[in-house]
């Protein structure tokens, strides 16, 4: 263990898997006491047990970030048990829902739109609202939100998801401006395709893997390759950084490809 986050309390949402899991583990390895919040409490507790076995401090708490009262209770319990919230890393996602239900607006089911906005944008609002109030009381803190490169470029067939995540990026800038006088920083990480658990089965298909490889200059990043940036943004060494967006995308944004990603993904699914 090192001490870049020693003495800090970090709340990580979506901590049971993927980027949230990797970041919670990295925060604990850097000395933070970590609360792992997730809808899947059992899986979050498994991650917490692994962190504790490695000498870290971790607590798992169940939460649905789309319910304000549950988010408020999460914040209250975290402060009651650990004394503060110095870092928020918000990474809640439902990858299978996005991959199978999103569509062009003209074909998009309105219930899908509502759930996408509720989960990714309203959920971000609620977590930032309640954690932000605690950080205002402390006069300090770092908030790190997970958006996506798909909110920075057009991606056919992902209209609801990109709208929600585009809202997260706009919120990052405005919230950072509003919170800066009170010592709270707000930044966003924009990953591209990442080898999270929900994607592994799809990546095991050679056609699917070749499709995604064509969109990246470097190998597809792992969750563990996103976590170091999350550590930097949480640590005191990034005290001059706020309102910024950081792509971690293996070159995804660096070149063009004439490819209907979602259409191709679903076509390969149909051939399995």
């Amino acid at each position: 263990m090192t001490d870049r986050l020693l003495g800090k309390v970090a709340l990580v949402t979506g901590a049971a898997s993927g980027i949230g899991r990797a970041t919670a583990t990295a925060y604990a390895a850097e000395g933070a006491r970590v609360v792992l919040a997730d809808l899947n409490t059992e899986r979050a507790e498994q991650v917490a047990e692994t962190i504790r076995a490695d000498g870290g401090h971790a607590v798992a708490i169940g939460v649905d970030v789309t319910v304000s009262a549950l988010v408020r209770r999460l914040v209250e319990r975290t402060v009651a048990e650990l004394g503060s919230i110095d870092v928020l890393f918000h990474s809640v996602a439902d990858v299978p829902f996005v991959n199978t239900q999103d569509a062009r607006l003209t074909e998009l089911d309105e219930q899908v739109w509502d759930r996408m906005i509720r989960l990714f944008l309203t959920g971000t609002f609620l977590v930032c609202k309640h954690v932000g109030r605690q950080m205002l009381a402390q006069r300090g803190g770092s908030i790190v939100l997970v958006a996506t490169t798909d909110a920075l470029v057009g991606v056919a067939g992902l209209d609801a998801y990109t709208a929600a995540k585009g809202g997260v990026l706009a919120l990052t800038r405005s919230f950072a401006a509003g919170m800066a006088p009170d010592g709270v920083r707000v930044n966003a990480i924009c990953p591209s395709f990442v080898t999270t658990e929900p994607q592994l089965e799809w990546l095991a298909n050679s056609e699917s893997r070749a499709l995604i490889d064509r969109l990246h200059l470097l190998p597809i990043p792992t969750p563990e390759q996103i976590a170091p940036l999350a550590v930097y943004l949480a640590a005191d060494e990034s005290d001059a950084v706020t309102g910024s967006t950081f792509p971690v995308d293996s070159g995804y944004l660096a070149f063009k490809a004439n490819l209907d990603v979602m259409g191709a993904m679903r076509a390969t699914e149909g051939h399995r």
Side-chain angles (χ1 to χ4, degrees), residues 109-252:
D109 186 289
E110 292 172 17
Q111 291 183 335
V112 171
W113 170 271
D114 290 344
R115 181 166 184 253
M116 203 79 71
I117 297 299
R118 184 77 186 166
L119 177 60
F120 290 107
L121 185 53
T122 304
T124 299
F125 153 62
L126 292 173
V127 172
C128 285
K129 174 181 178 177
H130 292 293
V131 173
R133 287 177 171 176
Q134 174 60 30
M135 289 183 173
L136 288 177
Q138 299 168 186
R139 300 288 298 178
S142 175
I143 293 173
V144 185
L145 305 176
V146 176
T148 173
T149 52
D150 296 334
L152 299 172
V153 295
V155 181
L158 279 180
D159 287 356
Y161 179 65
T162 55
K165 288 293 192 176
V168 170
L169 291 182
L171 178 65
T172 298
R173 294 185 290 268
S174 61
F175 197 37
M179 297 291 275
D182 294 285
V184 179
R185 300 183 294 111
V186 187
N187 293 286
I189 296 175
C190 287
S192 61
F193 198 93
V194 179
T195 59
T196 58
E197 290 88 337
Q199 304 285 22
L200 293 180
E201 181 179 351
W202 189 75
L203 285 172
N205 179 279
S206 59
E207 291 183 32
S208 304
R209 185 64 185 240
L211 167 68
I212 293 300
D213 283 342
R214 288 169 55 192
L215 297 174
H216 297 81
L217 297 177
L218 299 174
I220 301 166
T222 66
E224 287 71 23
Q225 290 175 304
I226 311 297
L229 179 56
V231 171
Y232 167 73
L233 292 174
D236 292 342
E237 63 204 71
S238 64
D239 275 352
V241 181
T242 196
S244 296
T245 296
F246 298 88
V248 184
D249 64 358
S250 293
Y252 177 81

